[in-house]
């Protein structure tokens, strides 16, 4: 099974890596290899060449969108005959578990914060809006964690709506990957950034009829794409790496899995992928790809091979 590229006429223009790389123009590289190491996700082999050839052109494009948003605001101000208060430019980043969307989001946050036009860039993950495990257990949803119904979507929409409306600051819950749960009485405060990046599995999902969805507040959206079989391979590799690192911590929710032997760990990883993550990808995440402004398609080695940009 593959995620593939649709053969029907598309609202996107498709660019090869070479064509996309040329769009960097003279955008400087504001990142060192050591800084990239700190941003890279577990088992993500992204290197500085990938940053130069893929993410600097994307950073330049996002900066142009940000500046054009300011021009639109000036147009509205002129029409209304009075100033319109600037509000944050919001970027959504979607894609499967293990596809690298978290690395993409962290990297973009760093690159965008180094443009002079928008020094304040915040990153929020939708993990912060998962229901606590106690609620998921009560509703029989622990095995569907990451599926749309496992999130407090109303709270997420309220947060993004408030930020887009110009709220000075908004407190949100904090999710611990170590404890695999929302931390009680702990909050992250988002203070009216120039740019807000919202990263998550289902951020491009269409809302129910008559309702607003989080994607309605996005000014730009990115879908990180790859073949399903490649993502499966990356997921299994990442789980093996976690087994040797994070899962080895006695405080980890998954500590018991660090004691599995090689064959048991492989069977566990394949089962979780087959019964949970692949179902969520095929049923809920992949269908939202066509809603993105831009699609980054990765090859088996994790490098971006081609880019789709929605025609303007």
């Amino acid at each position: 099974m593959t995620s593939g590229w649709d053969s029907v006429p598309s609202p996107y223009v498709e660019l090869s890596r070479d064509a996309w790389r040329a769009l960097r123009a003279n955008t400087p590289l504001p990142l060192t290899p050591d800084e990239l190491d700190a941003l890279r996700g577990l088992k993500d082999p992204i290197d500085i060449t990938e940053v130069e050839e893929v993410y600097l052109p994307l950073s330049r494009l996002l900066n142009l969108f940000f500046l054009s948003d300011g021009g639109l605001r000036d147009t509205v101000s002129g029409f209304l005959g009075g100033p319109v208060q600037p509000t944050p430019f919001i970027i959504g980043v979607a894609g499967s578990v293990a596809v690298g969307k978290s690395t993409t989001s962290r990297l973009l946050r760093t690159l965008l914060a180094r443009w002079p036009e928008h020094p304040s860039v915040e990153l929020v993950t939708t993990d912060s809006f998962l229901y606590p495990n106690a609620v998921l257990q009560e509703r029989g949803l622990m095995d569907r964690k990451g599926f749309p119904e496992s999130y407090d979507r109303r709270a997420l929409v309220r947060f993004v709506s408030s930020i887009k409306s110009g709220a000075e600051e908004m407190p949100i819950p904090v999710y611990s990957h170590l404890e695999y749960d929302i931390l009680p009485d702990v909050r992250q405060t988002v203070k009216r950034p120039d740019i807000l990046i919202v990263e998550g599995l289902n951020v491009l999902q269409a809302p129910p009829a008559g309702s607003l969805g989080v994607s309605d507040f996005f000014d730009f959206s990115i879908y990180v794409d790859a073949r399903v079989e490649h993502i499966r391979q990356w997921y299994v590799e990442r789980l093996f790496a976690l087994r040797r690192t994070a899962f080895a911590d006695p405080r980890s929710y998954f500590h018991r899995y660090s004691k599995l032997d090689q064959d048991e760990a492989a069977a566990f990883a394949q089962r979780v992928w087959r019964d949970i993550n692949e179902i969520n990808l095929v049923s809920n995440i992949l269908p939202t790809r066509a809603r993105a402004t831009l699609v980054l398609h990765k090859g088996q080695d994790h490098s971006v091979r081609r880019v789709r940009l929605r025609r303007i």
Side-chain angles (χ1 to χ4, degrees):
M1 185 184 299
T2 66
S3 60
W5 293 98
D6 300 332
S7 58
V8 296
S10 169
Y12 292 90
V13 57
E14 185 170 334
L15 300 163
S16 68
R17 178 162 174 144
D18 286 344
W20 179 255
R21 176 177 57 201
L23 298 174
R24 171 188 174 181
N26 296 318
T27 306
L29 175 64
L31 193 72
T32 68
D34 286 344
E35 289 175 314
L36 178 58
D37 285 342
L39 297 172
R40 183 188 292 115
L42 189 64
K43 299 299 290 182
D44 191 332
I46 187 171
D47 59 19
I48 211 72
T49 299
E50 187 85 351
V51 174
E52 291 175 328
E53 297 185 355
V54 176
Y55 293 97
L56 285 183
L58 179 52
S59 170
R60 175 177 175 242
L61 177 64
L62 289 169
N63 188 55
L64 292 171
F65 265 77
F66 177 88
L67 294 175
S68 68
D69 188 61
L72 178 61
R73 186 173 58 251
D74 291 342
T75 299
V76 174
S77 295
F79 174 73
L80 294 176
V84 174
Q85 186 71 17
T87 57
F89 186 86
I90 302 183
I91 301 167
V93 180
S96 172
V97 168
V99 79
K101 65 185 180 302
S102 295
T103 297
T104 294
S105 300
R106 290 191 295 266
L107 182 55
L108 288 176
R109 176 183 59 185
T110 301
L111 294 175
L112 290 171
R114 294 178 183 181
W115 283 87
E117 293 87 356
H118 34 77
S120 173
V121 183
E122 291 266 15
L123 169 61
V124 167
T125 74
T126 57
D127 288 345
S128 294
F129 295 90
L130 283 161
Y131 286 115
N133 286 354
V135 174
L136 295 177
Q137 288 166 349
E138 179 184 332
R139 299 182 182 182
L141 293 174
M142 277 301 289
D143 287 339
R144 293 181 69 81
K145 199 168 187 177
F147 283 67
E149 61 268 29
S150 66
Y151 294 90
D152 187 344
R153 287 176 284 181
R154 290 183 180 179
L156 175 58
V157 169
R158 282 196 302 269
F159 162 71
V160 178
S161 173
S162 296
I163 288 291
K164 192 63 178 173
S165 299
E168 288 299 325
E169 60 179 48
M170 284 293 296
I172 62 172
V174 173
Y175 183 80
S176 167
H177 287 276
L178 183 69
E179 298 185 24
Y180 195 59
D181 202 356
I182 297 292
L183 298 176
D185 303 320
V186 180
R187 293 291 182 266
Q188 170 189 353
T189 300
V190 178
K191 297 184 176 180
R192 196 175 179 186
D194 298 310
I195 294 176
L196 173 67
I197 300 172
V198 181
E199 177 249 311
L201 300 171
N202 300 297
V203 295
L204 294 179
Q205 188 177 45
S211 302
L212 285 173
V214 64
S215 62
D216 291 316
F217 299 95
F218 293 164
D219 299 289
F220 195 99
S221 56
I222 300 164
Y223 186 96
V224 185
D225 190 36
R227 289 179 177 270
V228 174
E229 57 264 33
H230 294 163
I231 305 174
R232 179 192 303 118
Q233 173 190 338
W234 302 337
Y235 175 78
V236 172
E237 290 172 352
R238 189 176 76 174
L239 188 138
F240 268 84
L242 287 168
R243 176 170 156 264
R244 298 188 300 269
T245 54
F247 292 178
D249 188 327
R251 298 170 299 166
S252 171
Y253 179 88
F254 294 103
H255 179 61
R256 61 192 181 277
Y257 298 115
S258 67
K259 303 181 186 303
L260 299 178
D261 65 28
Q262 196 84 351
D263 291 340
E264 289 172 330
F268 170 72
Q270 293 287 353
R271 184 173 66 255
V272 172
W273 174 262
R274 182 189 66 242
D275 296 344
I276 300 175
N277 292 315
E278 186 167 346
I279 293 172
N280 196 19
L281 171 58
V282 174
S283 300
N284 299 309
I285 303 168
L286 187 54
T288 70
R289 183 180 63 187
R291 306 187 75 232
T293 314
L294 180 138
V295 180
L296 298 172
H297 184 79
K298 293 185 170 186
Q300 189 171 6
D301 63 353
H302 263 284
S303 66
V304 174
R305 301 291 181 82
R306 54 191 185 274
V307 178
R308 272 185 167 184
L309 176 63
R310 185 174 287 277
R311 301 173 192 272
I312 305 302

